[in-house]
PDB file of all heavy atoms in Angstrom:
ATOM      1  N   PRO A   1       0.810  -1.213  -0.039  1.00 88.00           N
ATOM      2  CA  PRO A   1      -0.036   0.000  -0.008  1.00 88.00           C
ATOM      3  C   PRO A   1       0.839   1.262  -0.010  1.00 88.00           C
ATOM      4  O   PRO A   1       1.893   1.355   0.758  1.00 88.00           O
ATOM      5  CB  PRO A   1      -0.802  -0.145   1.332  1.00 88.00           C
ATOM      6  CG  PRO A   1       0.059  -0.945   2.200  1.00 88.00           C
ATOM      7  CD  PRO A   1       0.864  -1.912   1.310  1.00 88.00           C
ATOM      8  N   VAL A   2       0.474   2.180  -0.833  1.00 84.00           N
ATOM      9  CA  VAL A   2       1.157   3.526  -0.848  1.00 84.00           C
ATOM     10  C   VAL A   2       0.116   4.622  -0.632  1.00 84.00           C
ATOM     11  O   VAL A   2      -0.408   5.152  -1.588  1.00 84.00           O
ATOM     12  CB  VAL A   2       1.908   3.694  -2.188  1.00 84.00           C
ATOM     13  CG1 VAL A   2       2.719   5.009  -2.209  1.00 84.00           C
ATOM     14  CG2 VAL A   2       2.813   2.517  -2.476  1.00 84.00           C
ATOM     15  N   PRO A   3      -0.258   4.879   0.601  1.00 77.00           N
ATOM     16  CA  PRO A   3      -1.261   6.017   0.825  1.00 77.00           C
ATOM     17  C   PRO A   3      -0.609   7.359   0.497  1.00 77.00           C
ATOM     18  O   PRO A   3       0.547   7.652   0.795  1.00 77.00           O
ATOM     19  CB  PRO A   3      -1.533   5.871   2.347  1.00 77.00           C
ATOM     20  CG  PRO A   3      -0.361   5.202   2.923  1.00 77.00           C
ATOM     21  CD  PRO A   3       0.235   4.294   1.852  1.00 77.00           C
ATOM     22  N   ILE A   4      -1.466   8.180  -0.147  1.00 81.00           N
ATOM     23  CA  ILE A   4      -1.016   9.487  -0.602  1.00 81.00           C
ATOM     24  C   ILE A   4      -1.831  10.497   0.160  1.00 81.00           C
ATOM     25  O   ILE A   4      -3.044  10.404   0.185  1.00 81.00           O
ATOM     26  CB  ILE A   4      -1.197   9.639  -2.091  1.00 81.00           C
ATOM     27  CG1 ILE A   4      -0.579   8.515  -2.856  1.00 81.00           C
ATOM     28  CG2 ILE A   4      -0.624  11.007  -2.576  1.00 81.00           C
ATOM     29  CD1 ILE A   4       0.912   8.366  -2.722  1.00 81.00           C
ATOM     30  N   PRO A   5      -1.166  11.501   0.775  1.00 83.00           N
ATOM     31  CA  PRO A   5      -1.993  12.568   1.488  1.00 83.00           C
ATOM     32  C   PRO A   5      -2.838  13.377   0.579  1.00 83.00           C
ATOM     33  O   PRO A   5      -2.502  13.434  -0.667  1.00 83.00           O
ATOM     34  CB  PRO A   5      -0.856  13.369   2.089  1.00 83.00           C
ATOM     35  CG  PRO A   5       0.369  13.151   1.289  1.00 83.00           C
ATOM     36  CD  PRO A   5       0.231  11.784   0.880  1.00 83.00           C
ATOM     37  N   PRO A   6      -3.858  14.033   1.032  1.00 85.00           N
ATOM     38  CA  PRO A   6      -4.694  14.890   0.146  1.00 85.00           C
ATOM     39  C   PRO A   6      -3.857  15.898  -0.569  1.00 85.00           C
ATOM     40  O   PRO A   6      -2.863  16.414  -0.085  1.00 85.00           O
ATOM     41  CB  PRO A   6      -5.661  15.551   1.176  1.00 85.00           C
ATOM     42  CG  PRO A   6      -5.724  14.630   2.313  1.00 85.00           C
ATOM     43  CD  PRO A   6      -4.311  13.984   2.445  1.00 85.00           C
ATOM     44  N   ILE A   7      -4.289  16.189  -1.781  1.00 82.00           N
ATOM     45  CA  ILE A   7      -3.547  17.146  -2.646  1.00 82.00           C
ATOM     46  C   ILE A   7      -4.491  18.302  -2.858  1.00 82.00           C
ATOM     47  O   ILE A   7      -5.608  18.208  -3.377  1.00 82.00           O
ATOM     48  CB  ILE A   7      -3.143  16.521  -3.919  1.00 82.00           C
ATOM     49  CG1 ILE A   7      -2.241  15.320  -3.689  1.00 82.00           C
ATOM     50  CG2 ILE A   7      -2.465  17.574  -4.840  1.00 82.00           C
ATOM     51  CD1 ILE A   7      -1.869  14.567  -4.945  1.00 82.00           C
ATOM     52  N   PRO A   8      -4.098  19.560  -2.550  1.00 82.00           N
ATOM     53  CA  PRO A   8      -4.970  20.756  -2.730  1.00 82.00           C
ATOM     54  C   PRO A   8      -5.323  20.914  -4.186  1.00 82.00           C
ATOM     55  O   PRO A   8      -4.757  20.289  -5.030  1.00 82.00           O
ATOM     56  CB  PRO A   8      -4.108  21.937  -2.251  1.00 82.00           C
ATOM     57  CG  PRO A   8      -3.093  21.301  -1.375  1.00 82.00           C
ATOM     58  CD  PRO A   8      -2.805  19.939  -1.856  1.00 82.00           C
ATOM     59  N   GLN A   9      -6.290  21.853  -4.446  1.00 85.00           N
ATOM     60  CA  GLN A   9      -6.714  22.033  -5.809  1.00 85.00           C
ATOM     61  C   GLN A   9      -5.640  22.396  -6.802  1.00 85.00           C
ATOM     62  O   GLN A   9      -4.864  23.322  -6.500  1.00 85.00           O
ATOM     63  CB  GLN A   9      -7.756  23.118  -5.817  1.00 85.00           C
ATOM     64  CG  GLN A   9      -8.641  23.181  -7.067  1.00 85.00           C
ATOM     65  CD  GLN A   9      -9.818  24.132  -6.918  1.00 85.00           C
ATOM     66  OE1 GLN A   9      -9.563  25.355  -6.892  1.00 85.00           O
ATOM     67  NE2 GLN A   9     -10.998  23.623  -6.841  1.00 85.00           N
ATOM     68  N   ILE A  10      -5.576  21.653  -7.902  1.00 87.00           N
ATOM     69  CA  ILE A  10      -4.506  21.883  -8.868  1.00 87.00           C
ATOM     70  C   ILE A  10      -5.145  21.844 -10.261  1.00 87.00           C
ATOM     71  O   ILE A  10      -6.169  21.254 -10.458  1.00 87.00           O
ATOM     72  CB  ILE A  10      -3.431  20.729  -8.867  1.00 87.00           C
ATOM     73  CG1 ILE A  10      -4.082  19.310  -8.863  1.00 87.00           C
ATOM     74  CG2 ILE A  10      -2.516  20.882  -7.613  1.00 87.00           C
ATOM     75  CD1 ILE A  10      -3.064  18.227  -8.893  1.00 87.00           C
ATOM     76  N   PRO A  11      -4.532  22.642 -11.229  1.00 89.00           N
ATOM     77  CA  PRO A  11      -5.130  22.669 -12.533  1.00 89.00           C
ATOM     78  C   PRO A  11      -5.084  21.392 -13.342  1.00 89.00           C
ATOM     79  O   PRO A  11      -4.125  20.584 -13.166  1.00 89.00           O
ATOM     80  CB  PRO A  11      -4.235  23.736 -13.286  1.00 89.00           C
ATOM     81  CG  PRO A  11      -3.598  24.493 -12.099  1.00 89.00           C
ATOM     82  CD  PRO A  11      -3.373  23.507 -11.075  1.00 89.00           C
ATOM     83  N   VAL A  12      -6.096  21.079 -14.138  1.00 88.00           N
ATOM     84  CA  VAL A  12      -6.162  19.948 -14.933  1.00 88.00           C
ATOM     85  C   VAL A  12      -6.494  20.415 -16.353  1.00 88.00           C
ATOM     86  O   VAL A  12      -7.379  21.267 -16.600  1.00 88.00           O
ATOM     87  CB  VAL A  12      -7.230  18.951 -14.540  1.00 88.00           C
ATOM     88  CG1 VAL A  12      -7.263  17.736 -15.410  1.00 88.00           C
ATOM     89  CG2 VAL A  12      -6.999  18.496 -13.044  1.00 88.00           C
ATOM     90  N   TYR A  13      -5.748  19.802 -17.341  1.00 88.00           N
ATOM     91  CA  TYR A  13      -6.031  20.222 -18.734  1.00 88.00           C
ATOM     92  C   TYR A  13      -6.349  18.933 -19.549  1.00 88.00           C
ATOM     93  O   TYR A  13      -5.607  17.952 -19.454  1.00 88.00           O
ATOM     94  CB  TYR A  13      -4.828  20.888 -19.350  1.00 88.00           C
ATOM     95  CG  TYR A  13      -4.469  22.189 -18.654  1.00 88.00           C
ATOM     96  CD1 TYR A  13      -3.653  22.182 -17.557  1.00 88.00           C
ATOM     97  CD2 TYR A  13      -4.879  23.416 -19.189  1.00 88.00           C
ATOM     98  CE1 TYR A  13      -3.390  23.385 -16.834  1.00 88.00           C
ATOM     99  CE2 TYR A  13      -4.586  24.563 -18.529  1.00 88.00           C
ATOM    100  CZ  TYR A  13      -3.817  24.590 -17.369  1.00 88.00           C
ATOM    101  OH  TYR A  13      -3.491  25.750 -16.776  1.00 88.00           O
ATOM    102  N   GLY A  14      -7.386  18.964 -20.323  1.00 86.00           N
ATOM    103  CA  GLY A  14      -7.685  17.826 -21.219  1.00 86.00           C
ATOM    104  C   GLY A  14      -7.603  18.232 -22.651  1.00 86.00           C
ATOM    105  O   GLY A  14      -8.065  19.325 -23.056  1.00 86.00           O
ATOM    106  N   ARG A  15      -6.972  17.408 -23.479  1.00 85.00           N
ATOM    107  CA  ARG A  15      -6.934  17.617 -24.919  1.00 85.00           C
ATOM    108  C   ARG A  15      -8.102  16.815 -25.464  1.00 85.00           C
ATOM    109  O   ARG A  15      -8.152  15.597 -25.298  1.00 85.00           O
ATOM    110  CB  ARG A  15      -5.588  17.074 -25.490  1.00 85.00           C
ATOM    111  CG  ARG A  15      -5.502  17.367 -26.998  1.00 85.00           C
ATOM    112  CD  ARG A  15      -4.046  17.208 -27.535  1.00 85.00           C
ATOM    113  NE  ARG A  15      -3.589  15.813 -27.383  1.00 85.00           N
ATOM    114  CZ  ARG A  15      -3.767  14.848 -28.313  1.00 85.00           C
ATOM    115  NH1 ARG A  15      -4.454  15.161 -29.463  1.00 85.00           N
ATOM    116  NH2 ARG A  15      -3.338  13.669 -28.187  1.00 85.00           N
ATOM    117  N   CYS A  16      -9.000  17.559 -26.127  1.00 84.00           N
ATOM    118  CA  CYS A  16     -10.281  16.908 -26.532  1.00 84.00           C
ATOM    119  C   CYS A  16     -10.569  17.172 -28.013  1.00 84.00           C
ATOM    120  O   CYS A  16      -9.920  17.971 -28.620  1.00 84.00           O
ATOM    121  CB  CYS A  16     -11.408  17.477 -25.708  1.00 84.00           C
ATOM    122  SG  CYS A  16     -11.136  17.347 -23.889  1.00 84.00           S
ATOM    123  N   GLU A  17     -11.570  16.456 -28.507  1.00 79.00           N
ATOM    124  CA  GLU A  17     -12.098  16.718 -29.814  1.00 79.00           C
ATOM    125  C   GLU A  17     -13.642  16.620 -29.862  1.00 79.00           C
ATOM    126  O   GLU A  17     -14.122  15.924 -29.038  1.00 79.00           O
ATOM    127  CB  GLU A  17     -11.503  15.749 -30.848  1.00 79.00           C
ATOM    128  CG  GLU A  17     -11.960  14.314 -30.668  1.00 79.00           C
ATOM    129  CD  GLU A  17     -11.404  13.382 -31.723  1.00 79.00           C
ATOM    130  OE1 GLU A  17     -10.789  13.963 -32.684  1.00 79.00           O
ATOM    131  OE2 GLU A  17     -11.654  12.177 -31.691  1.00 79.00           O
ATOM    132  N   PRO A  18     -14.255  17.488 -30.710  1.00 78.00           N
ATOM    133  CA  PRO A  18     -15.714  17.451 -30.710  1.00 78.00           C
ATOM    134  C   PRO A  18     -16.098  16.209 -31.530  1.00 78.00           C
ATOM    135  O   PRO A  18     -15.485  15.861 -32.525  1.00 78.00           O
ATOM    136  CB  PRO A  18     -16.115  18.684 -31.416  1.00 78.00           C
ATOM    137  CG  PRO A  18     -14.912  19.026 -32.272  1.00 78.00           C
ATOM    138  CD  PRO A  18     -13.753  18.499 -31.519  1.00 78.00           C
ATOM    139  N   VAL A  19     -17.180  15.516 -31.139  1.00 74.00           N
ATOM    140  CA  VAL A  19     -17.741  14.304 -31.874  1.00 74.00           C
ATOM    141  C   VAL A  19     -19.236  14.416 -32.030  1.00 74.00           C
ATOM    142  O   VAL A  19     -19.869  15.207 -31.287  1.00 74.00           O
ATOM    143  CB  VAL A  19     -17.373  13.029 -31.100  1.00 74.00           C
ATOM    144  CG1 VAL A  19     -15.877  12.785 -31.052  1.00 74.00           C
ATOM    145  CG2 VAL A  19     -17.949  13.069 -29.638  1.00 74.00           C
ATOM    146  N   SER A  20     -19.802  13.703 -32.957  1.00 72.00           N
ATOM    147  CA  SER A  20     -21.180  13.731 -33.192  1.00 72.00           C
ATOM    148  C   SER A  20     -21.734  12.470 -32.665  1.00 72.00           C
ATOM    149  O   SER A  20     -21.241  11.349 -32.848  1.00 72.00           O
ATOM    150  CB  SER A  20     -21.467  13.857 -34.679  1.00 72.00           C
ATOM    151  OG  SER A  20     -22.841  13.769 -34.918  1.00 72.00           O
ATOM    152  N   THR A  21     -22.957  12.571 -31.941  1.00 68.00           N
ATOM    153  CA  THR A  21     -23.616  11.410 -31.419  1.00 68.00           C
ATOM    154  C   THR A  21     -24.299  10.604 -32.469  1.00 68.00           C
ATOM    155  O   THR A  21     -24.516   9.396 -32.357  1.00 68.00           O
ATOM    156  CB  THR A  21     -24.573  11.790 -30.314  1.00 68.00           C
ATOM    157  OG1 THR A  21     -25.613  12.702 -30.903  1.00 68.00           O
ATOM    158  CG2 THR A  21     -23.898  12.441 -29.187  1.00 68.00           C
ATOM    159  N   ASN A  22     -24.776  11.238 -33.523  1.00 62.00           N
ATOM    160  CA  ASN A  22     -25.306  10.571 -34.665  1.00 62.00           C
ATOM    161  C   ASN A  22     -25.332  11.560 -35.871  1.00 62.00           C
ATOM    162  O   ASN A  22     -24.967  12.678 -35.755  1.00 62.00           O
ATOM    163  CB  ASN A  22     -26.625   9.862 -34.463  1.00 62.00           C
ATOM    164  CG  ASN A  22     -27.725  10.850 -34.133  1.00 62.00           C
ATOM    165  OD1 ASN A  22     -27.886  11.896 -34.798  1.00 62.00           O
ATOM    166  ND2 ASN A  22     -28.485  10.617 -33.027  1.00 62.00           N
ATOM    167  N   LEU A  23     -25.949  11.142 -37.012  1.00 54.00           N
ATOM    168  CA  LEU A  23     -25.894  12.016 -38.148  1.00 54.00           C
ATOM    169  C   LEU A  23     -27.194  12.610 -38.565  1.00 54.00           C
ATOM    170  O   LEU A  23     -27.378  13.195 -39.625  1.00 54.00           O
ATOM    171  CB  LEU A  23     -25.382  11.159 -39.373  1.00 54.00           C
ATOM    172  CG  LEU A  23     -23.995  10.500 -39.148  1.00 54.00           C
ATOM    173  CD1 LEU A  23     -23.592   9.778 -40.442  1.00 54.00           C
ATOM    174  CD2 LEU A  23     -22.943  11.546 -38.746  1.00 54.00           C
ATOM    175  N   SER A  24     -28.169  12.532 -37.672  1.00 54.00           N
ATOM    176  CA  SER A  24     -29.568  13.023 -37.961  1.00 54.00           C
ATOM    177  C   SER A  24     -29.760  14.413 -37.448  1.00 54.00           C
ATOM    178  O   SER A  24     -28.928  14.914 -36.681  1.00 54.00           O
ATOM    179  CB  SER A  24     -30.615  12.087 -37.486  1.00 54.00           C
ATOM    180  OG  SER A  24     -30.776  12.206 -36.091  1.00 54.00           O
ATOM    181  N   GLY A  25     -30.932  14.969 -37.705  1.00 52.00           N
ATOM    182  CA  GLY A  25     -31.306  16.311 -37.230  1.00 52.00           C
ATOM    183  C   GLY A  25     -31.474  16.306 -35.680  1.00 52.00           C
ATOM    184  O   GLY A  25     -31.525  17.354 -35.059  1.00 52.00           O
ATOM    185  N   THR A  26     -31.567  15.110 -35.048  1.00 59.00           N
ATOM    186  CA  THR A  26     -31.646  15.013 -33.615  1.00 59.00           C
ATOM    187  C   THR A  26     -30.351  14.735 -32.947  1.00 59.00           C
ATOM    188  O   THR A  26     -30.336  14.355 -31.763  1.00 59.00           O
ATOM    189  CB  THR A  26     -32.715  14.004 -33.195  1.00 59.00           C
ATOM    190  OG1 THR A  26     -32.379  12.733 -33.685  1.00 59.00           O
ATOM    191  CG2 THR A  26     -34.086  14.376 -33.734  1.00 59.00           C
ATOM    192  N   GLY A  27     -29.232  14.800 -33.640  1.00 66.00           N
ATOM    193  CA  GLY A  27     -27.954  14.478 -33.119  1.00 66.00           C
ATOM    194  C   GLY A  27     -27.492  15.632 -32.210  1.00 66.00           C
ATOM    195  O   GLY A  27     -28.115  16.585 -31.930  1.00 66.00           O
ATOM    196  N   ALA A  28     -26.187  15.462 -31.730  1.00 71.00           N
ATOM    197  CA  ALA A  28     -25.649  16.426 -30.784  1.00 71.00           C
ATOM    198  C   ALA A  28     -24.195  16.416 -30.877  1.00 71.00           C
ATOM    199  O   ALA A  28     -23.529  15.451 -31.291  1.00 71.00           O
ATOM    200  CB  ALA A  28     -26.067  16.167 -29.369  1.00 71.00           C
ATOM    201  N   ILE A  29     -23.557  17.545 -30.428  1.00 73.00           N
ATOM    202  CA  ILE A  29     -22.066  17.632 -30.406  1.00 73.00           C
ATOM    203  C   ILE A  29     -21.666  17.207 -28.980  1.00 73.00           C
ATOM    204  O   ILE A  29     -22.169  17.719 -27.950  1.00 73.00           O
ATOM    205  CB  ILE A  29     -21.651  19.076 -30.624  1.00 73.00           C
ATOM    206  CG1 ILE A  29     -22.089  19.598 -31.962  1.00 73.00           C
ATOM    207  CG2 ILE A  29     -20.141  19.249 -30.442  1.00 73.00           C
ATOM    208  CD1 ILE A  29     -21.926  21.082 -32.171  1.00 73.00           C
ATOM    209  N   GLY A  30     -20.807  16.199 -28.942  1.00 75.00           N
ATOM    210  CA  GLY A  30     -20.280  15.736 -27.718  1.00 75.00           C
ATOM    211  C   GLY A  30     -18.731  16.005 -27.650  1.00 75.00           C
ATOM    212  O   GLY A  30     -18.178  16.536 -28.562  1.00 75.00           O
ATOM    213  N   ILE A  31     -18.111  15.557 -26.540  1.00 80.00           N
ATOM    214  CA  ILE A  31     -16.708  15.791 -26.340  1.00 80.00           C
ATOM    215  C   ILE A  31     -16.007  14.500 -25.991  1.00 80.00           C
ATOM    216  O   ILE A  31     -16.448  13.730 -25.138  1.00 80.00           O
ATOM    217  CB  ILE A  31     -16.504  16.812 -25.224  1.00 80.00           C
ATOM    218  CG1 ILE A  31     -17.060  18.154 -25.626  1.00 80.00           C
ATOM    219  CG2 ILE A  31     -14.999  16.953 -24.859  1.00 80.00           C
ATOM    220  CD1 ILE A  31     -16.997  19.240 -24.538  1.00 80.00           C
ATOM    221  N   LYS A  32     -14.944  14.217 -26.690  1.00 82.00           N
ATOM    222  CA  LYS A  32     -14.030  13.048 -26.427  1.00 82.00           C
ATOM    223  C   LYS A  32     -12.705  13.489 -25.826  1.00 82.00           C
ATOM    224  O   LYS A  32     -12.036  14.398 -26.396  1.00 82.00           O
ATOM    225  CB  LYS A  32     -13.848  12.244 -27.715  1.00 82.00           C
ATOM    226  CG  LYS A  32     -12.961  11.058 -27.575  1.00 82.00           C
ATOM    227  CD  LYS A  32     -12.670  10.363 -28.876  1.00 82.00           C
ATOM    228  CE  LYS A  32     -11.679   9.203 -28.700  1.00 82.00           C
ATOM    229  NZ  LYS A  32     -11.445   8.508 -30.012  1.00 82.00           N
ATOM    230  N   VAL A  33     -12.355  12.942 -24.702  1.00 85.00           N
ATOM    231  CA  VAL A  33     -11.101  13.285 -24.100  1.00 85.00           C
ATOM    232  C   VAL A  33      -9.979  12.340 -24.620  1.00 85.00           C
ATOM    233  O   VAL A  33     -10.114  11.155 -24.587  1.00 85.00           O
ATOM    234  CB  VAL A  33     -11.174  13.128 -22.585  1.00 85.00           C
ATOM    235  CG1 VAL A  33      -9.857  13.512 -21.897  1.00 85.00           C
ATOM    236  CG2 VAL A  33     -12.312  13.988 -21.983  1.00 85.00           C
ATOM    237  N   LYS A  34      -8.930  12.998 -25.173  1.00 85.00           N
ATOM    238  CA  LYS A  34      -7.830  12.161 -25.752  1.00 85.00           C
ATOM    239  C   LYS A  34      -6.616  12.118 -24.915  1.00 85.00           C
ATOM    240  O   LYS A  34      -5.870  11.193 -24.966  1.00 85.00           O
ATOM    241  CB  LYS A  34      -7.515  12.812 -27.165  1.00 85.00           C
ATOM    242  CG  LYS A  34      -8.700  12.832 -28.090  1.00 85.00           C
ATOM    243  CD  LYS A  34      -8.303  13.680 -29.321  1.00 85.00           C
ATOM    244  CE  LYS A  34      -7.417  12.945 -30.247  1.00 85.00           C
ATOM    245  NZ  LYS A  34      -7.253  13.665 -31.579  1.00 85.00           N
ATOM    246  N   GLU A  35      -6.435  13.097 -24.053  1.00 84.00           N
ATOM    247  CA  GLU A  35      -5.262  13.198 -23.199  1.00 84.00           C
ATOM    248  C   GLU A  35      -5.607  14.109 -22.034  1.00 84.00           C
ATOM    249  O   GLU A  35      -6.391  15.035 -22.185  1.00 84.00           O
ATOM    250  CB  GLU A  35      -4.080  13.712 -23.987  1.00 84.00           C
ATOM    251  CG  GLU A  35      -2.791  13.849 -23.173  1.00 84.00           C
ATOM    252  CD  GLU A  35      -1.651  14.486 -24.078  1.00 84.00           C
ATOM    253  OE1 GLU A  35      -1.919  14.903 -25.187  1.00 84.00           O
ATOM    254  OE2 GLU A  35      -0.520  14.600 -23.517  1.00 84.00           O
ATOM    255  N   ALA A  36      -4.962  13.864 -20.892  1.00 86.00           N
ATOM    256  CA  ALA A  36      -5.192  14.744 -19.717  1.00 86.00           C
ATOM    257  C   ALA A  36      -3.926  14.790 -18.932  1.00 86.00           C
ATOM    258  O   ALA A  36      -3.215  13.814 -18.763  1.00 86.00           O
ATOM    259  CB  ALA A  36      -6.404  14.287 -18.900  1.00 86.00           C
ATOM    260  N   LYS A  37      -3.651  16.021 -18.357  1.00 84.00           N
ATOM    261  CA  LYS A  37      -2.547  16.168 -17.487  1.00 84.00           C
ATOM    262  C   LYS A  37      -2.853  17.177 -16.368  1.00 84.00           C
ATOM    263  O   LYS A  37      -3.629  18.106 -16.545  1.00 84.00           O
ATOM    264  CB  LYS A  37      -1.297  16.694 -18.317  1.00 84.00           C
ATOM    265  CG  LYS A  37      -0.716  15.700 -19.302  1.00 84.00           C
ATOM    266  CD  LYS A  37       0.512  16.238 -19.874  1.00 84.00           C
ATOM    267  CE  LYS A  37       1.202  15.197 -20.785  1.00 84.00           C
ATOM    268  NZ  LYS A  37       2.498  15.667 -21.400  1.00 84.00           N
TER     269      LYS A  37
END
């Protein structure tokens, strides 16, 4: 076991791309996360 003490609020960045949920008039723009640091 390697317990880690609480870490205060730190910035997070995600590299994302917009995606479509389907191709019809009832579709929507969603977000896919490709990388995070």
